Amino acid sequence: MPIATVNPATGETLRTFEPLTATEIERRLATADAAFAAHRTTSFAERAGLLHRAADLLEEDTADIARTMTTEMGKPVKAARAEAAKCAKAMRWYAEHAEVLLADEHPAPADVTDSGAARAVVRYRPLGPVLAVMPWNFPLWQVVRFAAPALMAGNVALLKHASNVPQTALYLEDLFRRAGFAEGCFQTLLVGSDAVEAVLRDPRVAAATLTGSEPAGRAVASTAGDEIKKTVLELGGSDPYVVLPSADVARAAEIAVTARVQNNGQSCIAAKRFIVHADVYDAFRDRFVAGMRELTVGDPLDEDTDVGPLSSRAGRDDLEELVDDALAKGATALCGGQRPKEQERGWFYSPTVLADITAEMRIHREETFGPVATLYRAADLDEALALANDTPFGLSSNVWTRDEAETERCVRDLQAGGIFFNGMTASHPGLPFGGVKRSGYGRELAGHGIREFCNATTVWYGPEDDARG
């Protein structure tokens, strides 16, 4: 796959880049190894100062980097600016909280003495260079939510970004350099996916994190497992959005539109399957479809655009195939269901709501990565939960109810890494993020995320150390 910026709104190739040579990859691996030896000995205060500086620079650069993201992968520019702001927030959050999150842990005194120790402590130590294989859909956020905690923990980062966002990838390397991080603390590897295995197998690379497709996750996990290296995987999602009779249906329908089409519908945590109790189905359907019809599809650099193009021709074609398969097997398009006629160039697809979904349709089991929603009618809470869990994925979920018993039942029975009540799923630096089933394993963000790439080291002091205790 070529490493190039191709404007998805026009199909025009704007810039191309040569992948790194084997010699240059080796140089960067050696640089990362040397950088880790020094960076791991820096203090939390030093790292926090650098990360705060990176956040300052990112805020200064917001207009330019937002335009770059929009040009490379098509998100509305107003959403790109919001993404940059979110990244700066996360950098500051980890700069301010990392030391506490990684503070030494002191086992209970009884456990210490029972082990024969005078004292004991658990200390979190960094692992080393971590390879991050990242996707294009949130080209800043996906990287920063890995890099900020990794750098604060004392690790160093090697970024293999998606091949259609090379300028954003290079910007990130430059950002951390300008912030004052030493050479090698954060490096972008402009390479194709065929180079990932060799980099991951290199003994200087300690671990890997990947956000992407199931096939990519399997490949990285398989290689890392063969090398006995730690991985964190965040893969696909087909998140349910459950609306029950006690909900504020008008508000649920309003938020549902944003939950489905955020980032042009290209988000693992976007709500995709809308499961509505029969008692409120008609009211929700009418409001939801009306909201989807009102969206403005167009140039993502236009401030009034709600939905831009999909990131690639292949992505648009894959989405179109899922919709066409469903329609051929009896689904009903309540709106959309085709490319917008007014968009002659680029990889656009109309906001779409499909009803009458059945199990034999591909769209019932496969993730829709674009502005297409599937709508289900559930007779009761039992059927709603069965439909919600009838997916190979388990990333996040949304439930609208004001009934306490229903809330507790959903917390108990929904198979997902997150459950958001009366609102849409969103990631936040202070909350752990990740999934179950084929959505992957491990967690990003919060204390869980920063500790994923640390060595929880037991330090045991024998009785002769008692005098020093």
Side-chain angles (χ1 to χ4, degrees):
M1 182 177 181
I3 298 175
T5 296
V6 181
N7 187 339
T10 64
E12 178 186 3
T13 299
L14 302 179
R15 290 191 65 183
T16 58
F17 299 83
E18 288 297 319
L20 297 178
T21 64
T23 299
E24 182 60 18
I25 293 172
E26 165 57 31
R27 187 191 72 79
R28 289 178 178 245
L29 288 170
T31 302
D33 192 44
F36 173 62
H39 185 63
R40 65 188 295 273
T41 66
T42 59
S43 68
F44 283 109
E46 289 175 281
R47 299 170 203 165
L50 296 173
L51 203 55
H52 274 298
R53 177 58 179 154
D56 292 342
L57 291 171
L58 178 56
E59 288 176 337
E60 293 171 10
D61 297 342
T62 290
D64 289 340
I65 189 56
R67 187 177 183 88
T68 297
M69 285 191 285
T70 295
T71 302
E72 289 201 305
M73 55 70 58
K75 72 171 70 233
V77 70
K78 58 190 176 185
R81 290 196 298 269
E83 182 173 339
K86 185 174 185 175
C87 290
K89 177 181 179 180
M91 288 177 180
R92 292 198 171 95
W93 191 89
Y94 271 109
E96 294 163 5
H97 291 84
E99 186 170 9
V100 172
L101 295 173
L102 297 180
D104 289 353
E105 295 179 2
H106 300 275
D111 293 329
V112 172
T113 56
D114 189 55
S115 76
R119 56 195 175 99
V121 66
V122 178
R123 179 160 296 176
Y124 290 97
R125 299 187 297 163
L127 294 180
V130 181
L131 173 65
V133 182
M134 293 288 108
W136 45 263
N137 56 338
F138 292 94
L140 275 186
W141 172 239
Q142 299 281 7
V143 178
V144 166
R145 76 184 192 191
F146 145 73
L151 291 168
M152 282 304 301
N155 295 302
V156 301
L158 293 163
L159 170 64
K160 191 288 179 208
H161 218 326
S163 294
N164 61 333
V165 290
Q167 293 185 76
T168 304
L170 292 170
Y171 167 79
L172 284 159
E173 180 179 83
D174 183 62
L175 174 69
F176 288 109
R177 179 191 59 77
R178 286 186 291 135
F181 282 93
E183 182 184 7
C185 283
F186 185 101
Q187 297 181 88
T188 287
L189 305 179
L190 282 189
V191 296
S193 57
D194 57 347
V196 170
E197 180 176 352
V199 173
L200 182 51
R201 288 190 183 278
D202 190 284
R204 292 165 293 192
V205 174
T209 180
L210 176 141
T211 299
S213 67
E214 282 186 72
R218 289 192 192 98
V220 165
S222 177
T223 299
D226 192 46
E227 296 291 336
I228 316 181
K229 294 181 179 181
K230 176 70 178 290
T231 53
V232 170
L233 302 181
E234 193 263 280
L235 307 178
S238 191
D239 291 3
Y241 190 100
V242 179
V243 182
L244 299 172
S246 65
D248 180 339
V249 174
R251 181 63 175 164
E254 177 188 357
I255 297 299
V257 175
T258 303
R260 175 60 288 222
V261 303
Q262 59 171 312
N263 207 47
N264 303 339
Q266 300 168 120
S267 171
C268 295
I269 57 170
K272 299 181 177 79
R273 298 175 299 125
F274 296 81
I275 301 165
V276 185
H277 193 285
D279 291 354
V280 292
Y281 178 89
D282 290 348
F284 177 88
R285 176 201 59 204
D286 293 347
R287 288 177 170 87
F288 181 43
V289 172
M292 292 285 277
R293 281 188 177 134
E294 291 171 2
L295 294 168
T296 299
V297 179
D299 181 357
L301 290 172
D302 188 326
E303 295 289 342
D304 294 327
T305 292
D306 298 309
V307 180
L310 300 188
S311 69
S312 67
R313 183 189 302 276
R316 196 265 309 276
D317 291 348
D318 289 345
L319 184 68
E320 200 166 37
E321 286 179 11
L322 286 177
V323 173
D324 290 348
D325 172 79
L327 293 174
K329 293 174 180 174
T332 303
L334 302 181
C335 65
Q338 59 188 359
R339 304 178 190 181
K341 295 182 174 60
E342 60 273 19
Q343 303 295 339
E344 297 180 357
R345 297 196 305 164
W347 302 309
F348 293 88
Y349 199 81
S350 298
T352 297
V353 179
L354 299 179
D356 305 312
I357 305 299
T358 57
E360 65 268 19
M361 299 172 186
R362 288 177 55 200
I363 206 165
H364 179 70
R365 304 292 293 172
E366 299 180 31
E367 181 179 18
T368 52
F369 224 57
V372 174
T374 52
L375 185 60
Y376 297 81
R377 183 195 302 264
D380 51 28
L381 178 57
D382 287 341
E383 185 178 9
L385 287 169
L387 283 167
N389 291 333
D390 187 22
T391 172
F393 302 106
L395 193 53
S396 191
S397 58
N398 309 261
V399 180
W400 288 75
T401 178
R402 288 181 283 200
D403 183 286
E404 185 175 348
E406 289 176 343
T407 297
E408 290 305 311
R409 174 79 186 281
C410 291
V411 171
R412 187 190 74 184
D413 291 345
L414 273 172
Q415 299 166 1
I419 306 170
F420 286 69
F421 287 99
N422 303 315
M424 59 179 274
T425 297
S427 53
H428 182 279
L431 300 174
F433 179 87
V436 296
K437 302 197 286 189
R438 293 193 180 182
S439 288
Y441 53 76
R443 290 295 180 266
E444 297 178 285
L445 300 175
H448 300 73
I450 196 170
R451 289 189 287 268
E452 285 282 7
F453 295 117
C454 288
N455 173 6
T457 309
T458 297
V459 184
W460 187 95
Y461 297 93
E464 63 271 22
D465 293 298
D466 190 40
R468 296 188 300 164

